[in-house]
Coordinates of all heavy atoms in Angstrom, one line a residue:
L1 N 125.2 116.0 105.4 CA 125.9 115.2 106.3 C 126.3 115.9 107.5 O 126.9 117.1 107.3 CB 127.0 114.5 105.6 CG 127.9 113.5 106.4 CD1 127.0 112.4 106.8 CD2 129.0 113.1 105.6
L2 N 125.9 115.6 108.7 CA 126.3 116.3 109.9 C 127.8 116.0 110.2 O 128.1 114.8 110.3 CB 125.4 115.8 111.0 CG 125.7 116.4 112.4 CD1 125.6 118.0 112.5 CD2 124.9 115.8 113.5
R3 N 128.5 116.9 110.5 CA 129.9 116.7 110.9 C 130.0 117.3 112.4 O 129.8 118.5 112.6 CB 130.9 117.4 110.0 CG 130.9 116.8 108.6 CD 132.1 117.3 107.8 NE 131.9 116.8 106.4 CZ 132.3 115.7 105.9 NH1 132.8 114.7 106.7 NH2 132.1 115.4 104.7
V4 N 130.5 116.5 113.3 CA 130.7 117.0 114.7 C 132.1 117.3 114.9 O 133.0 116.6 114.6 CB 130.3 115.8 115.6 CG1 130.5 116.2 117.1 CG2 128.9 115.4 115.3
S5 N 132.3 118.5 115.5 CA 133.7 118.9 115.8 C 134.4 118.0 116.7 O 133.8 117.4 117.6 CB 133.7 120.4 116.3 OG 133.3 120.4 117.6
E6 N 135.7 118.0 116.6 CA 136.5 117.1 117.6 C 136.3 117.5 119.0 O 136.2 116.7 119.9 CB 137.9 117.2 117.2 CG 138.3 116.5 115.9 CD 139.8 116.5 115.6 OE1 140.6 116.8 116.5 OE2 140.1 116.3 114.4
E7 N 136.1 118.8 119.3 CA 135.9 119.3 120.6 C 134.6 118.8 121.2 O 134.5 118.3 122.3 CB 135.9 120.8 120.7 CG 135.7 121.4 122.0 CD 135.5 122.9 122.0 OE1 135.7 123.6 121.0 OE2 135.3 123.5 123.2
I8 N 133.5 118.9 120.4 CA 132.2 118.3 120.9 C 132.3 116.8 121.1 O 131.8 116.3 122.1 CB 131.1 118.6 119.9 CG1 130.9 120.1 119.8 CG2 129.9 117.8 120.1 CD1 130.0 120.6 118.8
E9 N 133.0 116.1 120.2 CA 133.2 114.7 120.4 C 134.0 114.3 121.7 O 133.6 113.5 122.5 CB 133.9 114.0 119.2 CG 134.1 112.6 119.3 CD 134.8 112.0 118.1 OE1 135.1 112.7 117.2 OE2 135.0 110.7 118.1
R10 N 135.0 115.1 121.9 CA 135.9 114.9 123.1 C 135.0 115.1 124.4 O 135.1 114.4 125.3 CB 137.1 115.8 123.2 CG 138.3 115.2 122.4 CD 139.5 116.1 122.7 NE 139.4 117.5 122.5 CZ 139.6 118.1 121.3 NH1 139.9 117.4 120.2 NH2 139.5 119.4 121.2
N11 N 134.2 116.2 124.3 CA 133.3 116.5 125.5 C 132.3 115.4 125.8 O 132.1 115.0 126.8 CB 132.6 117.8 125.3 CG 133.6 119.0 125.4 OD1 134.6 118.9 126.0 ND2 133.2 120.1 124.8
A12 N 131.8 114.8 124.7 CA 130.8 113.8 124.8 C 131.4 112.5 125.4 O 130.8 111.8 126.2 CB 130.1 113.5 123.4
V13 N 132.6 112.2 124.9 CA 133.4 111.0 125.4 C 133.7 111.2 126.9 O 133.5 110.2 127.7 CB 134.6 110.7 124.5 CG1 135.5 109.7 125.2 CG2 134.2 110.3 123.1
E14 N 134.1 112.4 127.3 CA 134.4 112.6 128.7 C 133.2 112.5 129.5 O 133.3 111.9 130.6 CB 135.1 114.0 128.8 CG 135.6 114.3 130.2 CD 136.5 113.2 130.8 OE1 137.3 112.6 130.1 OE2 136.3 112.9 132.0
R15 N 132.0 113.0 129.1 CA 130.8 112.9 129.9 C 130.4 111.5 130.0 O 130.0 111.0 131.1 CB 129.7 113.7 129.2 CG 129.9 115.2 129.4 CD 128.6 116.0 129.0 NE 127.8 115.5 127.9 CZ 128.1 115.9 126.6 NH1 129.1 116.8 126.4 NH2 127.4 115.4 125.6
L16 N 130.6 110.7 129.0 CA 130.3 109.3 129.1 C 131.1 108.5 130.0 O 130.7 107.7 130.8 CB 130.4 108.6 127.7 CG 130.0 107.2 127.6 CD1 128.6 106.8 128.1 CD2 130.2 106.6 126.2
R17 N 132.4 108.8 130.0 CA 133.4 108.2 130.9 C 133.1 108.5 132.3 O 133.1 107.8 133.2 CB 134.8 108.6 130.6 CG 135.4 108.0 129.3 CD 136.8 108.3 129.1 NE 137.3 107.6 128.0 CZ 138.1 108.2 127.1 NH1 138.6 109.5 127.3 NH2 138.5 107.6 126.0
A18 N 132.8 109.8 132.6 CA 132.4 110.2 133.9 C 131.1 109.6 134.4 O 131.0 109.1 135.6 CB 132.2 111.8 133.9
H19 N 130.2 109.4 133.5 CA 128.9 108.7 133.8 C 129.2 107.3 134.2 O 128.7 106.9 135.3 CB 127.9 108.8 132.7 CG 126.7 107.9 132.9 ND1 125.7 108.3 133.7 CD2 126.4 106.7 132.4 CE1 124.8 107.3 133.7 NE2 125.2 106.4 132.9
R20 N 129.9 106.6 133.4 CA 130.3 105.3 133.7 C 131.1 105.1 135.0 O 130.8 104.1 135.7 CB 131.0 104.6 132.5 CG 130.2 104.4 131.3 CD 130.9 103.7 130.2 NE 130.0 103.3 129.1 CZ 130.4 102.9 127.9 NH1 131.7 103.0 127.6 NH2 129.6 102.5 127.0
S21 N 132.0 105.9 135.3 CA 132.8 105.8 136.5 C 132.0 106.2 137.7 O 132.4 105.7 138.8 CB 134.0 106.6 136.3 OG 133.8 108.0 136.4
G22 N 130.9 107.0 137.6 CA 130.2 107.4 138.7 C 129.0 106.6 139.1 O 128.4 106.9 140.1
R23 N 128.6 105.6 138.3 CA 127.4 104.9 138.5 C 127.7 103.7 139.4 O 128.8 103.2 139.6 CB 126.8 104.4 137.2 CG 127.7 103.4 136.4 CD 127.1 103.1 135.1 NE 128.0 102.2 134.3 CZ 127.8 101.8 133.1 NH1 126.7 102.3 132.5 NH2 128.6 101.1 132.5
A24 N 126.6 103.3 140.1 CA 126.7 102.1 140.9 C 126.6 100.8 140.0 O 125.7 100.6 139.4 CB 125.5 102.1 141.9
V25 N 127.7 100.1 140.0 CA 127.9 99.0 139.1 C 126.8 98.0 139.3 O 126.2 97.5 138.4 CB 129.3 98.4 139.2 CG1 129.4 97.1 138.3 CG2 130.4 99.4 138.8
A26 N 126.5 97.5 140.5 CA 125.5 96.5 140.7 C 124.2 97.0 140.3 O 123.5 96.2 139.7 CB 125.6 96.2 142.2
S27 N 123.9 98.2 140.5 CA 122.5 98.7 140.1 C 122.4 98.7 138.7 O 121.4 98.2 138.1 CB 122.4 100.1 140.6 OG 121.2 100.7 140.3
F28 N 123.3 99.1 137.8 CA 123.1 99.2 136.4 C 123.1 97.8 135.8 O 122.4 97.4 134.9 CB 124.0 100.2 135.6 CG 125.2 99.6 135.1 CD1 125.2 99.1 133.8 CD2 126.4 99.5 135.7 CE1 126.3 98.6 133.2 CE2 127.6 99.0 135.2 CZ 127.5 98.5 133.9
Q29 N 124.0 97.0 136.4 CA 124.0 95.5 135.9 C 122.7 94.8 136.2 O 122.2 94.0 135.4 CB 125.2 94.8 136.6 CG 126.5 95.2 136.1 CD 127.7 94.5 136.7 OE1 127.5 94.0 137.8 NE2 128.9 94.5 136.1
N30 N 122.1 95.1 137.4 CA 120.8 94.5 137.6 C 119.7 95.0 136.7 O 118.9 94.3 136.3 CB 120.4 94.8 139.1 CG 121.2 94.0 140.1 OD1 121.7 93.0 139.8 ND2 121.2 94.6 141.4
G31 N 119.8 96.3 136.4 CA 118.8 96.8 135.4 C 119.0 96.2 134.0 O 118.0 95.8 133.4
L32 N 120.2 96.0 133.6 CA 120.4 95.3 132.3 C 120.0 93.9 132.3 O 119.4 93.3 131.4 CB 121.8 95.5 131.8 CG 122.3 96.8 131.3 CD1 123.8 96.8 130.9 CD2 121.5 97.3 130.1
R33 N 120.3 93.2 133.4 CA 119.9 91.8 133.6 C 118.4 91.7 133.6 O 117.9 90.8 132.9 CB 120.4 91.2 134.9 CG 120.3 89.7 135.0 CD 120.9 89.1 136.2 NE 122.4 89.5 136.2 CZ 122.9 90.3 137.2 NH1 122.2 90.9 138.1 NH2 124.2 90.6 137.2
A34 N 117.7 92.5 134.2 CA 116.2 92.5 134.2 C 115.6 92.8 132.8 O 114.7 92.1 132.4 CB 115.7 93.6 135.2
L35 N 116.3 93.7 132.0 CA 115.9 93.9 130.7 C 116.1 92.7 129.8 O 115.2 92.3 129.1 CB 116.7 95.1 130.1 CG 116.3 95.5 128.7 CD1 114.9 95.9 128.6 CD2 117.2 96.7 128.3
K36 N 117.3 92.1 129.9 CA 117.5 90.8 129.2 C 116.5 89.7 129.5 O 116.0 89.0 128.6 CB 118.9 90.3 129.5 CG 120.1 91.1 128.9 CD 121.4 90.6 129.4 CE 122.5 91.5 128.9 NZ 123.9 91.1 129.4
D37 N 116.2 89.6 130.8 CA 115.2 88.6 131.2 C 113.8 89.0 130.6 O 113.1 88.1 130.2 CB 115.1 88.5 132.8 CG 116.4 87.9 133.4 OD1 117.2 87.3 132.6 OD2 116.5 88.1 134.6
G38 N 113.5 90.3 130.6 CA 112.3 90.7 130.1 C 112.1 90.4 128.6 O 111.1 90.0 128.1
V39 N 113.2 90.6 127.9 CA 113.2 90.3 126.4 C 112.9 88.9 126.2 O 112.1 88.5 125.3 CB 114.6 90.7 125.8 CG1 114.7 90.1 124.4 CG2 114.7 92.2 125.7
R40 N 113.5 88.0 127.0 CA 113.3 86.5 126.9 C 111.8 86.1 127.2 O 111.2 85.2 126.6 CB 114.2 85.8 127.7 CG 115.6 85.7 127.1 CD 116.5 84.8 127.8 NE 117.8 85.4 128.0 CZ 118.3 85.9 129.2 NH1 117.6 85.7 130.3 NH2 119.4 86.5 129.3
S41 N 111.2 86.8 128.2 CA 109.9 86.4 128.7 C 108.8 87.2 128.1 O 107.6 87.2 128.5 CB 109.9 86.6 130.2 OG 109.9 88.0 130.6
Q42 N 109.1 88.1 127.1 CA 108.1 89.0 126.5 C 107.4 89.9 127.5 O 106.2 90.1 127.3 CB 107.2 88.2 125.6 CG 107.8 87.4 124.5 CD 106.9 86.6 123.7 OE1 105.8 86.3 124.1 NE2 107.3 86.2 122.5
A43 N 108.1 90.4 128.4 CA 107.6 91.4 129.4 C 107.4 92.8 128.8 O 107.8 93.0 127.6 CB 108.5 91.5 130.6
N44 N 106.9 93.7 129.5 CA 106.8 95.1 129.1 C 108.2 95.7 129.0 O 108.8 96.0 130.1 CB 105.9 95.9 130.1 CG 105.7 97.3 129.7 OD1 106.5 97.9 128.9 ND2 104.7 98.0 130.2
L45 N 108.7 95.9 127.9 CA 110.1 96.3 127.7 C 110.3 97.9 127.9 O 111.3 98.3 128.3 CB 110.6 95.9 126.3 CG 110.6 94.4 126.1 CD1 111.2 94.2 124.6 CD2 111.5 93.7 127.1
Q46 N 109.2 98.6 127.8 CA 109.3 100.0 128.0 C 109.6 100.2 129.5 O 110.6 101.1 129.8 CB 108.0 100.7 127.6 CG 108.0 102.2 127.9 CD 106.8 102.9 127.4 OE1 105.8 102.3 127.2 NE2 106.8 104.2 127.4
E47 N 108.9 99.7 130.4 CA 109.2 99.8 131.9 C 110.6 99.4 132.2 O 111.3 100.0 132.9 CB 108.2 99.1 132.7 CG 106.8 99.7 132.6 CD 105.8 98.8 133.4 OE1 106.2 97.9 134.2 OE2 104.6 99.1 133.3
L48 N 111.0 98.2 131.6 CA 112.3 97.7 131.9 C 113.4 98.5 131.3 O 114.5 98.7 132.0 CB 112.4 96.2 131.5 CG 111.6 95.2 132.2 CD1 111.5 93.8 131.5 CD2 112.0 95.0 133.6
T49 N 113.2 99.1 130.2 CA 114.2 100.0 129.6 C 114.3 101.2 130.4 O 115.5 101.7 130.7 CB 113.8 100.3 128.1 OG1 113.6 99.1 127.4 CG2 114.7 101.3 127.5
L50 N 113.3 101.9 130.7 CA 113.4 103.0 131.6 C 114.0 102.8 132.9 O 114.9 103.6 133.4 CB 111.9 103.6 131.8 CG 111.3 104.2 130.6 CD1 109.9 104.7 130.9 CD2 112.1 105.4 130.0
Q51 N 113.7 101.7 133.5 CA 114.4 101.4 134.8 C 115.9 101.1 134.6 O 116.7 101.5 135.4 CB 113.8 100.1 135.4 CG 114.3 99.9 136.8 CD 114.0 101.0 137.8 OE1 112.9 101.5 137.9 NE2 115.1 101.5 138.4
A52 N 116.3 100.4 133.5 CA 117.7 100.2 133.3 C 118.5 101.6 133.1 O 119.5 101.8 133.6 CB 117.9 99.3 132.0
L53 N 117.8 102.5 132.4 CA 118.4 103.8 132.2 C 118.4 104.6 133.5 O 119.5 105.2 133.8 CB 117.6 104.6 131.2 CG 117.7 104.0 129.7 CD1 116.6 104.8 128.8 CD2 119.1 104.1 129.2
K54 N 117.4 104.5 134.3 CA 117.5 105.1 135.6 C 118.6 104.5 136.5 O 119.1 105.2 137.4 CB 116.1 105.0 136.4 CG 115.0 105.9 135.7 CD 113.6 105.6 136.4 CE 112.6 106.5 135.6 NZ 111.3 106.1 136.2
D55 N 118.8 103.2 136.3 CA 119.8 102.6 137.1 C 121.2 102.8 136.7 O 122.2 102.4 137.2 CB 119.6 101.0 137.1 CG 118.4 100.6 137.8 OD1 118.0 101.3 138.7 OD2 118.0 99.5 137.6
G56 N 121.4 103.6 135.5 CA 122.7 104.1 135.1 C 123.2 103.4 133.8 O 124.3 103.8 133.4
A57 N 122.4 102.6 133.2 CA 122.8 102.0 131.9 C 122.8 103.1 130.8 O 122.0 104.1 130.9 CB 121.9 100.9 131.5
T58 N 123.7 103.0 129.9 CA 123.7 103.9 128.8 C 122.8 103.5 127.6 O 122.4 102.3 127.6 CB 125.1 104.1 128.2 OG1 125.5 102.9 127.6 CG2 126.1 104.5 129.3
L59 N 122.5 104.4 126.8 CA 121.5 104.0 125.7 C 122.2 103.0 124.8 O 121.5 102.1 124.3 CB 121.3 105.3 124.8 CG 120.3 105.1 123.7 CD1 118.9 104.5 124.2 CD2 120.0 106.4 123.0
G60 N 123.6 103.1 124.6 CA 124.3 102.0 123.9 C 124.2 100.7 124.4 O 124.0 99.7 123.8
E61 N 124.3 100.6 125.8 CA 124.2 99.3 126.5 C 122.8 98.7 126.4 O 122.7 97.5 126.2 CB 124.6 99.5 128.0 CG 126.1 99.8 128.2 CD 126.5 100.4 129.5 OE1 125.6 101.0 130.2 OE2 127.6 100.3 129.9
V62 N 121.8 99.6 126.5 CA 120.4 99.1 126.3 C 120.2 98.7 124.9 O 119.6 97.6 124.7 CB 119.4 100.2 126.7 CG1 118.0 99.9 126.3 CG2 119.5 100.5 128.2
S63 N 120.6 99.4 123.9 CA 120.5 99.0 122.5 C 121.2 97.7 122.3 O 120.7 96.9 121.4 CB 121.2 100.1 121.6 OG 120.5 101.3 121.8
S64 N 122.3 97.4 122.9 CA 123.1 96.2 122.7 C 122.2 95.0 123.2 O 122.2 93.9 122.5 CB 124.4 96.2 123.5 OG 125.2 97.1 122.8
V65 N 121.5 95.2 124.3 CA 120.5 94.1 124.7 C 119.5 93.8 123.6 O 119.2 92.7 123.3 CB 119.8 94.6 126.1 CG1 118.7 93.5 126.4 CG2 120.8 94.6 127.1
F66 N 118.9 94.9 123.1 CA 117.9 94.7 122.0 C 118.6 94.0 120.8 O 117.9 93.2 120.1 CB 117.2 96.0 121.7 CG 116.3 96.4 122.8 CD1 116.4 97.7 123.2 CD2 115.3 95.6 123.4 CE1 115.5 98.2 124.2 CE2 114.4 96.0 124.3 CZ 114.5 97.3 124.8
E67 N 119.7 94.5 120.4 CA 120.4 94.0 119.1 C 120.7 92.5 119.3 O 120.5 91.7 118.4 CB 121.6 94.8 118.9 CG 122.3 94.3 117.6 CD 123.5 95.2 117.2 OE1 123.8 96.2 117.8 OE2 124.1 94.8 116.2
S68 N 121.2 92.1 120.5 CA 121.5 90.7 120.7 C 120.3 89.9 120.7 O 120.3 88.7 120.2 CB 122.3 90.5 122.0 OG 121.5 90.8 123.1
A69 N 119.1 90.3 121.1 CA 117.9 89.6 121.1 C 117.2 89.6 119.7 O 116.7 88.6 119.3 CB 117.0 90.1 122.2
F70 N 117.1 90.7 119.1 CA 116.3 91.0 117.9 C 117.1 91.2 116.6 O 116.5 91.2 115.5 CB 115.3 92.2 118.1 CG 114.5 92.0 119.3 CD1 114.6 92.9 120.4 CD2 113.6 91.0 119.4 CE1 113.8 92.8 121.5 CE2 112.7 90.8 120.5 CZ 112.8 91.8 121.6
G71 N 118.4 91.4 116.7 CA 119.2 91.7 115.6 C 119.2 93.2 115.3 O 118.5 93.9 115.9
R72 N 119.9 93.5 114.2 CA 120.0 94.9 113.8 C 119.1 95.1 112.6 O 119.2 94.4 111.6 CB 121.4 95.3 113.5 CG 121.7 96.7 113.1 CD 123.1 97.0 112.8 NE 123.8 96.9 114.0 CZ 124.7 97.9 114.5 NH1 124.9 98.9 113.7 NH2 125.3 97.7 115.6
Y73 N 118.3 96.2 112.6 CA 117.5 96.5 111.5 C 118.3 97.0 110.3 O 119.2 97.8 110.4 CB 116.5 97.7 111.9 CG 115.6 98.1 110.7 CD1 114.6 97.4 110.3 CD2 115.9 99.3 110.1 CE1 113.8 97.7 109.2 CE2 115.2 99.7 109.0 CZ 114.1 99.0 108.6 OH 113.4 99.3 107.5
S74 N 117.9 96.5 109.2 CA 118.5 96.9 107.9 C 117.4 97.3 106.9 O 116.5 96.4 106.6 CB 119.4 95.8 107.3 OG 119.9 96.2 106.1
G75 N 117.3 98.5 106.6 CA 116.2 99.0 105.8 C 116.3 98.5 104.3 O 117.2 97.7 104.0
P76 N 115.3 98.7 103.5 CA 115.3 98.3 102.2 C 116.5 98.8 101.4 O 117.0 99.9 101.7 CB 114.0 98.9 101.6 CG 113.2 99.4 102.7 CD 114.1 99.5 103.9
K77 N 116.9 98.0 100.5 CA 118.1 98.3 99.7 C 117.7 98.6 98.2 O 116.7 98.0 97.8 CB 119.1 97.2 99.8 CG 119.5 96.9 101.2 CD 121.0 96.7 101.4 CE 121.5 96.4 102.7 NZ 120.7 96.6 103.9
G78 N 118.4 99.4 97.6 CA 118.1 99.6 96.1 C 117.0 100.5 95.8 O 116.5 100.4 94.7
I79 N 116.6 101.4 96.7 CA 115.6 102.3 96.4 C 116.2 103.6 95.8 O 117.1 104.1 96.1 CB 114.7 102.6 97.6 CG1 114.0 101.4 98.0 CG2 113.8 103.7 97.3 CD1 113.1 101.5 99.3

């Protein structure tokens, strides 16, 4: 089991906060909106995902779009 030190966790949280505060809000919102629209229309999600990330969306925000559309994977149980 991987245990991450509190210092590493604090640094990661700070980098995420800095990223979010420094991005262009309209740009990343447009990227996520285009991704949501693409999910609904069965467009090429790879291109839309990469564009959303380039526009400043975080991996968690992109993952949330996919989870809301497709649900969360749950592997086999009882193996």
Side-chain angles (χ1 to χ4, degrees):
L1 183 63
L2 174 66
R3 296 192 189 276
V4 177
S5 73
E6 289 181 19
E7 179 183 0
I8 291 173
E9 182 180 357
R10 277 192 305 274
N11 289 339
V13 169
E14 184 53 41
R15 285 193 320 272
L16 180 59
R17 286 184 182 142
H19 171 75
R20 285 182 171 165
S21 69
R23 65 187 175 184
V25 175
S27 179
F28 99 88
Q29 286 177 340
N30 288 338
L32 285 179
R33 188 175 305 111
L35 181 59
K36 289 176 189 177
D37 293 344
V39 167
R40 284 189 225 108
S41 68
Q42 298 181 340
N44 182 340
L45 299 180
Q46 182 177 9
E47 290 177 10
L48 293 169
T49 299
L50 291 174
Q51 188 58 53
L53 293 168
K54 288 176 184 175
D55 289 342
T58 65
L59 187 56
E61 291 163 338
V62 168
S63 297
S64 292
V65 170
F66 289 129
E67 184 177 353
S68 66
F70 303 117
R72 181 179 291 230
Y73 175 76
S74 177
K77 304 223 181 343
I79 293 179

